[in-house]
Amino acid sequence: MARQQKSSIFQRLEGLPIILVFALILILFMYLAPEVFLRPFQYTTFLSTLPPVILLAGGLTFIIGAGEIDLCFPAILGFSGFVFAVIFKEGPGLIANLLMLTDASWLSPALAGEIVRYFAVVIAIASGVMVGFINGVLVAKIGIPSFIATLGTQFVWYGMATALSGGKSYALRGAEESSVWHILVGRPFANSSVAWVQQLPIQSLWTAIIVVAMWFILNRHRFGEHTLFIGDSNEVSRVVGIDVDREKIKLFTMMGTLAAVAAIFLTLENKNYFGNQGQGYLLIAIASVLIGGTSIFGGRATIVGTIFGCFIIAMVEPGLVATGLTGAWVNTVRGLIFLIAIIFYLFVEEPHRRRDFFARLRRVQAFGRIRSAE
């Protein structure tokens, strides 16, 4: 009987290669810019700005792991963000006038306003679910390739957000006085005597809970197993009894839901809705997923790797600025890190690629020696 080949530590521990890359980059920035990266304030900034990116990249990990792609989620950030902002801002006054509420009424205007703001959260998430479900139906039932389907719906929902908002931004003045703001993006330790503790945002807690749930779904739940089966082969998945169409609709619906939650976090954190909200997140989220080790061909996905990919992408800009370089180098360095991380990941976690590379290298060297001898 042939002996089974032992898996390496890099294969047994999820995301270990990219964790090492993250540690090396972090140590480098700590050495080059200790005044920034050895102080806690930079990390509290990450905890307030990264949750939307992490939610988007986490959902995209499932999509790419299934061998599909979603280009629509930036538009969901814009569309769901608009839905949330307009109800959050205009809803309380509209309801108070419609019901002619006063402080002496059975329902005070302040309480009615809070109810409407929670309703804004529900409607915004529902809008993301709707868009994601439509994407899933277009891909799974109608059979449009996901790249084409989600590219088309990106234009549709960005256009809807622009048309409905008139291209305007919505400033959510006084948002921090709402319980919705405090529950979703507030600073629970604002009264602490330690300055950096005061800045710890609660959305990082909600994001961590969602990420842990996604990890369990991907690695311990039948839905995650089906996702990776589909990424390997749609045909084989159908043969073993997986309802591929249903699972794909679930995947895109989940992506839409996560994008809507990210839109709410983003809008509340900024206390503003911008007409171009969501632009710039597409490549960052995709790069985070692929840097983390999820295969672009499907069949392999890692939530842990994706999270560290998000942190690597986020560290580049403040790291470069703190070391004295201009922001113009940010995308160049991100691209280099992306390529280095992917090559490192392939060579460490896919031994057959490493063996093939060195075999080709030996053939080239042997050919060179033969030519020299001639």
Side-chain angles (χ1 to χ4, degrees), residues 22 37 70 112 169 178 200 212 240 242 247 259 302 328 351:
F22 167 78
F37 283 90
D70 189 341
S169 62
S178 166
L200 289 174
V212 170
V240 299
I242 297 174
E247 300 298 84
T302 163

Side-chain angles (χ1 to χ4, degrees), residues 280-294:
Y281 282 87
L282 178 63
L283 296 180
I284 289 176
I286 293 176
S288 299
V289 174
L290 298 181
I291 284 176
T294 296

Side-chain angles (χ1 to χ4, degrees), residues 281-326:
Y281 282 87
L282 178 63
L283 296 180
I284 289 176
I286 293 176
S288 299
V289 174
L290 298 181
I291 284 176
T294 296
S295 173
I296 188 64
F297 303 106
R300 185 183 68 243
T302 163
I303 292 294
V304 173
T306 293
I307 301 308
F308 280 94
C310 290
F311 276 96
I312 288 173
I313 291 293
M315 281 197 307
V316 171
E317 185 168 1
L320 291 181
V321 173
T323 54
L325 294 176
T326 65

Side-chain angles (χ1 to χ4, degrees), residues 58-59 62 214 217 223 249-259:
F62 281 80
M214 286 194 290
I217 291 171
F223 178 61
I249 291 174
K250 285 182 182 178
L251 283 169
F252 283 95
T253 303
M254 181 180 72
M255 184 71 219
T257 305
L258 291 170

